[in-house]
Amino acid sequence: MVTKRVSLVAVAVGASLGLAACQSSTAGGSGAGGDSGMIKQLTFPSDAPNTIGGLVDYNPYSPNALTKTWLYEPLMVRNGLSCEVTPWLATDFEWTDGAKGLTFTIREGVKWSDGKPFTAKDVAFTLNLGKKYPGIDRAGLWNDTFGAAATSVTAEGNQVRIAFGGNAAPKFDELIKLQILPEHVYSAVGDASKYIDKNPVATGPFKVGSYNGRRLVLQRRADYWQADKVKVQQLVLEGQFDAAQASLKLRSGQLDAYWGEIPNPQRAFVDADPKTNHFYYAPNGTTVLSPNVEKKPFTDAKFREALAPAINRQEISDKGTYGIMKPASQTGLKLPLAAKLLPEELAKQETVTKFDPAKANELLDAAGYTKGADGKRTNPDGSPLTLTFSVQAGWIDYQAMADVIVRNLNEVGVTSKVVATAPESVDAQKKSGDYQMLLEYLHGGCEVAKNLGAKLASNQIPTKTTILPNVQRYKDPEVDATVEELSATVDPAEQKRLVGDLVNTMMTEYPVTSLIYAPARIIYNSDKAVGWPSEADPYAQPSDDRLLILTRLRAPGSDS
């Protein structure tokens, strides 16, 4: 059986979005390029760590790379919101033998920045480097973490074939993100993870113009394989800014986009000039309440369920995110973006738990957690019921959320308190399991087996040395079997059925309690460029899909 899962629709969708952006833009603005849509310059914060000093290194697999975005390119770009795939250096892919073989068709006509042709051999070379030097195997291609390890990678003509020792479907997302290296350069450097690349030879939209130790200037490549879509003539990467600095630089025009957090961006930035100042916080995953299900009373699923309606999610959003992020679905999926994965019986139901203290009281009573004359509840055996909420000191949003939750629980008679400790102390509690409640993140990526599945799988419970996704320590052999099946299939109907089983676990067992969606942020000016992703046009996940965003940007007033 051959299964193909590439969405070339994404190309057409992107084109229409780009057109819509140009039609809706306003004339004028610094750097406008008339009908050509060209933008003279955009300035973004530096990609590089703030500890590297003036070290010159463009190796995308180095922790100290000056940029990991704009020079070396991936095989494909998957929209982190819609999960549609946009072909990039690869134009197509096919799964074969279930999910034991994967073939990429490599784009022809692409040139490296030194003029040499890019070929399938460069792709095979890069993937095989991960076997020799595990430090660059970011996709886990050569190990059995979430899918079987590869047994071979070969290139023939314009195709690259990967053979796996078993089903490897969950590796896809990370695999297509791997940045491809030129064999004619990197074959002579030894361990590619340690190579200092001072003169990058890449396929990307820019080449290095200058770097003075703090300011990296990138110049548009006229010979880039999709140069007609790149309208930014010069990209400047400079500085790493805290919220206050970023807000000032955005308002003054010294920054054109920022991907960090600015508290209350509406008031701090947008209100200063609503015509050009904007932000888009897309749902990237879910902030969840993680109880330790190995400790009473959280061993009782009825107790976990009863707490859910006691929590005011809108107030959590207001206090933790200034009302920006919406209350999250208990399914563990990002809705409505992932609605196609929902079981039919849930498709038309409200899956965000309603704030209903009366319902919480009713469920607690029914589960045997009775309320005494003092208004405080006890365990079914009559012992005192007291909960401690561990939260990272200094994490202002988490602390604000925890305060709301604890107040809500006390209001329904569940005696609770917040204990703020150093973030590393909370990490230690996750590893040891020595906690009752804490806030956690449930990743909302497109490979559900690696995200929601990992949150529920017993082999993903943290160890004494490593934090793994199943912090709450949930165990169910049937769920483990479902995750294993989901990891092994690329059939959409089977995926939907299996995801439905995981969703049912979330909705009935409450292994974690969904609170609000967690953001992927972009805060930007539209005076020099339009076509940014927005809630109206969510064509890209704003923090990760930056190459895709680049191909949509145009000068204000241009006709595209």
Side-chain angles (χ1 to χ4, degrees), residues 145-392:
T145 302
F146 284 105
T151 57
S152 67
V153 177
T154 57
E156 183 176 347
N158 69 336
Q159 293 191 321
V160 172
R161 294 184 175 88
I162 307 173
F164 296 96
N167 293 312
K171 295 187 183 293
F172 182 78
D173 270 11
E174 295 304 316
L175 185 57
I176 63 172
K177 290 179 185 178
L178 291 176
Q179 289 156 302
I180 306 305
L181 302 169
E183 182 177 13
H184 65 281
V185 175
Y186 273 75
S187 60
V189 305
D191 187 344
S193 66
K194 299 177 180 178
Y195 174 58
I196 297 176
D197 186 351
K198 295 185 177 182
N199 298 292
V201 175
T203 60
F206 296 102
K207 59 184 178 182
V208 176
S210 63
Y211 177 60
N212 65 6
R214 59 176 182 82
R215 186 175 191 264
L216 175 61
V217 179
L218 302 175
Q219 303 290 347
R220 177 180 178 270
R221 281 183 58 194
D223 63 342
Y224 178 51
W225 62 271
Q226 53 176 343
D228 59 318
K229 294 182 180 180
V230 177
K231 304 298 183 180
V232 180
Q233 294 177 321
Q234 182 168 281
L235 183 62
V236 175
L237 305 178
E238 181 177 22
Q240 295 190 340
F241 312 107
D242 62 25
Q245 293 169 328
S247 181
L248 288 172
K249 286 186 176 292
L250 283 164
R251 291 175 65 168
S252 67
Q254 296 177 69
L255 270 183
D256 296 296
Y258 181 66
W259 287 270
E261 180 180 8
I262 293 179
N264 199 351
Q266 182 69 38
R267 182 175 179 180
F269 176 58
V270 175
D271 287 349
D273 189 350
K275 290 184 178 180
T276 62
N277 297 355
H278 312 276
F279 72 88
Y280 175 40
Y281 282 21
N284 198 38
T286 302
T287 299
V288 296
L289 173 63
S290 287
N292 187 332
V293 302
E294 293 183 333
K295 292 182 178 291
K296 292 182 178 182
F298 293 112
T299 53
D300 182 0
K302 293 295 184 183
F303 180 78
R304 302 196 299 264
E305 179 183 7
L307 295 191
I311 299 170
N312 189 335
R313 288 158 182 77
Q314 187 56 56
E315 186 179 3
I316 286 174
S317 174
D318 293 341
K319 296 292 178 63
T321 73
Y322 301 91
I324 296 171
M325 302 313 298
K326 297 177 181 178
S329 167
Q330 181 57 29
T331 62
L333 301 177
K334 294 184 300 188
L335 299 181
L337 294 166
K340 64 184 179 182
L341 292 175
L342 281 177
E344 300 302 328
E345 62 270 19
L346 288 178
K348 296 182 180 180
Q349 292 184 27
E350 177 57 72
T351 59
V352 175
T353 305
K354 180 182 177 182
F355 176 51
D356 189 345
K359 179 68 172 178
N361 278 311
E362 178 185 325
L363 291 173
L364 286 165
D365 289 341
Y369 299 87
T370 57
K371 187 183 292 186
D374 59 359
K376 297 181 180 181
R377 294 184 179 275
T378 58
N379 289 304
D381 62 5
S383 61
L385 172 57
T386 303
L387 302 182
T388 299
F389 200 128
S390 300
V391 68
Q392 294 88 338

Side-chain angles (χ1 to χ4, degrees), residues 385-439:
L385 172 57
T386 303
L387 302 182
T388 299
F389 200 128
S390 300
V391 68
Q392 294 88 338
W395 291 24
I396 298 174
D397 54 345
Y398 270 24
Q399 287 186 261
M401 295 179 199
D403 288 341
V404 172
I405 294 168
V406 163
R407 176 163 43 79
N408 290 160
L409 297 185
N410 279 301
E411 287 169 352
V412 296
V414 178
T415 302
S416 306
K417 65 178 180 179
V418 174
V419 175
T421 58
E424 55 269 26
S425 176
V426 177
D427 285 348
Q429 291 176 42
K430 293 177 184 178
K431 295 174 186 176
S432 67
D434 186 21
Y435 77 93
Q436 282 188 300
M437 292 188 297
L438 48 78
L439 291 175

Side-chain angles (χ1 to χ4, degrees), residues 34-152:
D35 290 345
S36 71
M38 296 302 292
I39 302 162
K40 183 177 180 181
Q41 178 178 297
L42 292 180
T43 302
F44 297 160
S46 173
D47 287 353
N50 58 9
T51 57
I52 69 169
L55 176 67
V56 177
D57 188 1
Y58 299 99
N59 179 350
Y61 293 95
S62 167
N64 296 321
L66 289 176
T67 176
K68 296 187 179 183
T69 305
W70 308 110
L71 301 176
Y72 294 93
E73 295 187 293
L75 292 171
M76 293 179 163
V77 175
R78 193 171 197 180
N79 182 330
L81 304 178
S82 70
C83 294
E84 288 183 333
V85 174
T86 298
W88 217 260
L89 292 180
T91 61
D92 202 353
F93 72 90
E94 290 181 346
W95 284 104
T96 56
D97 192 17
K100 297 179 182 178
L102 180 59
T103 299
F104 287 103
T105 300
I106 305 305
R107 188 179 299 278
E108 297 182 277
V110 177
K111 290 187 176 181
W112 293 101
S113 54
D114 63 358
K116 295 184 182 297
F118 161 80
T119 71
K121 290 183 178 181
D122 293 301
V123 177
F125 166 77
T126 302
L127 301 186
N128 279 312
L129 270 182
K131 182 178 182 181
K132 189 173 183 180
Y133 306 112
I136 72 168
D137 186 20
R138 293 176 179 167
L141 178 63
W142 298 100
N143 63 52
D144 59 2
T145 302
F146 284 105
T151 57
S152 67

